[in-house]
Amino acid sequence: MLSYFLTHAEVVVEPAAPIESWGLSVDGRARAAAAHEVAWHPGVRRIVSSTERKAVETAEALGAAVVVVPGVDVELGEIDRSATGYLPLDEFEDVVGRFFAEPERSVRGWERAVDAQDRIVRAVRRLSREAGGAVTVVSHGAVGALLLADLQGVPISRALDQPGMGCVFAFDPEVWRATSGWTRVPLR
């Protein structure tokens, strides 16, 4: 049984707005509209996304293409970084690097990587059971990297992070292993 983990596509960065309220950009909408080409097959029974707007919009685009109404699950959220909110890109990249390098430590008040990994693994296992078959999970890059590490049975590492927004990997929830690495959804 093949399932998918899909990350939201490109967003409109609004530094003054809460990160979870950011929506898809024009390119993000185009990429999300093509997600069914790489993050779907007829055996998929459910699409479930994080409650964050960018993930919901990505799931809605996928659902519209395959005529499935997506659901949401709060446990699929990105790492909790509310302690800092928006950070300029250089500062953000530094903190993300430390987040992955020190998984048992809260970096600048962010959710610890080990806690985020536990949350996303539990959520995806539960959703897979509830689906009674394949599922496409629409979420975020950092938690996707944490899930991928668990599926591969390897330590948490930034090397497992997605190569860009709007990426997907396949996994088999029955044997709990990744069946692919990250693939970027084509921009159509």
Side-chain angles (χ1 to χ4, degrees):
M1 167 176 35
L2 192 61
S3 290
Y4 301 96
F5 186 94
L6 173 66
T7 66
H8 65 79
E10 294 90 338
V11 301
V12 175
V13 175
E14 300 178 61
I19 296 165
E20 56 277 357
S21 72
W22 294 356
L24 295 180
S25 67
V26 171
D27 281 351
R29 289 186 183 287
R31 193 177 304 278
H36 67 283
E37 297 176 19
V38 293
W40 180 262
H41 65 78
V44 172
R45 295 195 170 106
R46 286 182 76 190
I47 301 170
V48 185
S49 80
S50 152
T51 60
E52 295 185 29
R53 180 178 165 200
K54 52 195 162 272
V56 169
E57 289 178 356
T58 300
E60 287 173 346
L62 172 60
V66 299
V67 194
V68 171
V69 177
V72 296
D73 190 309
V74 69
E75 295 298 310
L76 299 177
E78 180 60 286
I79 55 173
D80 180 353
R81 54 187 200 231
S82 57
T84 61
Y86 171 80
L87 295 172
L89 186 58
D90 289 345
E91 189 176 356
F92 174 76
E93 289 296 328
D94 177 61
V95 177
V96 170
R98 291 173 43 213
F99 168 84
F100 280 106
E102 304 172 58
E104 295 189 13
R105 181 173 171 257
S106 173
V107 179
R108 293 191 55 187
W110 285 16
E111 180 178 21
R112 297 182 321 155
V114 292
D115 296 331
Q117 183 182 51
D118 181 61
R119 173 176 51 82
I120 194 69
V121 166
R122 279 186 291 107
V124 172
R125 283 184 181 273
R126 176 179 46 79
L127 291 168
S128 296
R129 279 192 312 274
E130 290 173 1
V135 62
T136 294
V137 172
V138 183
S139 188
H140 308 272
V143 291
L146 299 172
L147 177 64
L148 188 57
D150 192 76
L151 287 162
Q152 291 180 350
V154 299
I156 292 171
S157 168
R158 187 153 192 200
L160 296 174
D161 204 358
Q162 66 179 346
M165 292 182 197
C167 287
V168 62
F169 66 78
F171 66 98
D172 184 331
E174 289 183 349
V175 296
W176 199 250
R177 72 175 173 81
T179 59
S180 76
W182 290 110
T183 300
R184 193 97 191 260
V185 175
L187 185 59
R188 298 274 186 247

